[in-house]
Amino acid sequence: MNTFTVFPAIDLRAGQVVRLQEGDPSRQTVFSHDPAEVAYRFLSQGARWLHVVNLDGAFGEEKSAGLNLRAIEQMLEITPEFSASLQVGGGVRSLKAVADLLVRGVHRLVVGTMAIEHPELLKQAVQKWGEERIAVSLDVRNGMVYVRGWQESGGILLEDAARFIQSCGVRWVVFTDISRDGMQTGLALDEASALGEKFAFQVIASGGARSLAEVRQAREQGLAGVILGRALYEGKILLEEALREEAC
């Protein structure tokens, strides 16, 4: 059986921890002004991984994206104490950006727009850094993959995108149904598990988690992991309980 991982999410905007609804920057809730403290709390509770998103980078807001990069550096200083790893995405659209984060100590980098718009760069990244360190975010609305912080359609169907990233050597995929993200309406588990089975991906489900039972179902359906956001911050799911599913 594949290893199952629970990823607490830390979404960063202007150096703050936030959650958006359906990826809409105008529907934002701020949960903390201290990302490093949030990271330390999750790691202290037993998390082995954190999923960190630079939302300003994804939206192309370069000035505030720098604040998020400093927050990521602070998290990287914390992780060795817990033998934990960071999975980071948001606005990584060049090989230089990939290298900058990986050499700083980010264990796995998640790319989205670059994978759809410049698959040749994706292939080079996987060849250089290996399949364990490069993941692709497939963010879907009505069957279409979206890019640039979910603000634009990439003009490609999910299955077509999956097929060509598979040809680039990708093994890890973060799958999000945009319409569910931040809404606590439930993860798209059937779609995520079908994607993994058809293309032999290690799929991490994201967007809309609402209960511990859903985390358990994700594991039972053979997914590689789940990303938990708003449900954690609002106490709908307790991290310590969710992490017990990793040991099952």
Side-chain angles (χ1 to χ4, degrees):
M1 183 177 290
N2 293 331
T3 300
F4 180 77
T5 303
V6 172
F7 296 80
I10 301 179
D11 288 2
L12 300 171
R13 197 154 189 229
Q16 301 180 109
V17 179
V18 306
R19 296 301 296 172
L20 307 182
Q21 291 184 317
E22 299 182 83
D24 184 346
S26 70
R27 297 161 69 193
Q28 171 180 295
T29 304
V30 177
F31 283 99
S32 175
H33 301 286
D34 190 346
E37 185 278 329
V38 173
Y40 194 91
R41 174 159 36 93
F42 287 153
L43 295 174
S44 297
Q45 292 171 353
R48 298 178 296 118
W49 282 82
L50 299 176
H51 178 78
V52 183
V53 180
N54 180 349
L55 289 173
D56 298 289
F59 296 145
E61 298 168 353
E62 293 302 322
K63 184 175 180 179
S64 47
L67 296 173
N68 299 337
L69 290 173
R70 285 195 285 277
I72 291 169
E73 289 175 347
Q74 291 175 335
M75 293 183 214
L76 287 169
E77 294 173 0
I78 296 169
T79 52
E81 179 181 343
F82 299 93
S83 299
S85 301
L86 289 193
Q87 176 173 274
V88 175
V92 182
R93 296 171 188 162
S94 69
L95 291 178
K96 181 181 183 302
V98 169
D100 285 348
L101 284 165
L102 291 178
V103 299
R104 292 184 191 194
V106 171
H107 184 81
R108 184 182 297 133
L109 201 60
V110 183
V111 298
T113 302
M114 186 182 86
I116 302 302
E117 296 184 351
H118 301 286
E120 72 283 359
L121 298 184
L122 172 65
K123 188 171 185 178
Q124 290 177 51
V126 174
Q127 289 174 340
K128 179 176 177 60
W129 296 99
E131 63 181 17
E132 289 298 313
R133 302 197 71 190
I134 303 294
V136 170
S137 181
L138 293 177
D139 307 310
V140 179
R141 189 193 298 273
N142 298 324
M144 299 296 293
V145 175
Y146 273 63
V147 297
R148 301 189 179 278
W150 306 353
Q151 303 305 297
E152 301 175 16
S153 171
I156 186 169
L157 292 168
L158 170 62
E159 187 159 323
D160 293 336
R163 188 174 294 109
F164 84 68
I165 68 168
Q166 181 189 49
S167 72
C168 293
V170 169
R171 180 167 181 259
W172 286 88
V173 167
V174 177
F175 175 79
T176 306
D177 181 334
I178 296 170
S179 66
R180 297 170 180 256
D181 192 70
M183 303 301 290
Q184 294 184 48
T185 53
L187 292 160
L189 295 179
D190 291 343
E191 294 91 331
S193 57
L195 185 68
E197 290 169 8
K198 184 166 187 174
F199 295 97
F201 292 142
Q202 292 289 299
V203 178
I204 301 166
S206 174
R210 58 186 173 182
S211 70
L212 182 62
E214 207 168 25
V215 176
R216 184 172 301 118
Q217 184 182 350
R219 173 181 56 76
E220 291 172 347
Q221 289 188 212
L223 292 173
V226 294
I227 294 171
L228 302 180
R230 185 177 291 270
L232 277 186
Y233 289 98
E234 295 185 350
K236 305 290 178 56
I237 299 176
L238 299 181
L239 181 58
E240 297 96 327
E241 293 182 354
L243 290 170
R244 292 190 192 117
E245 293 300 317
E246 295 185 340
C248 294

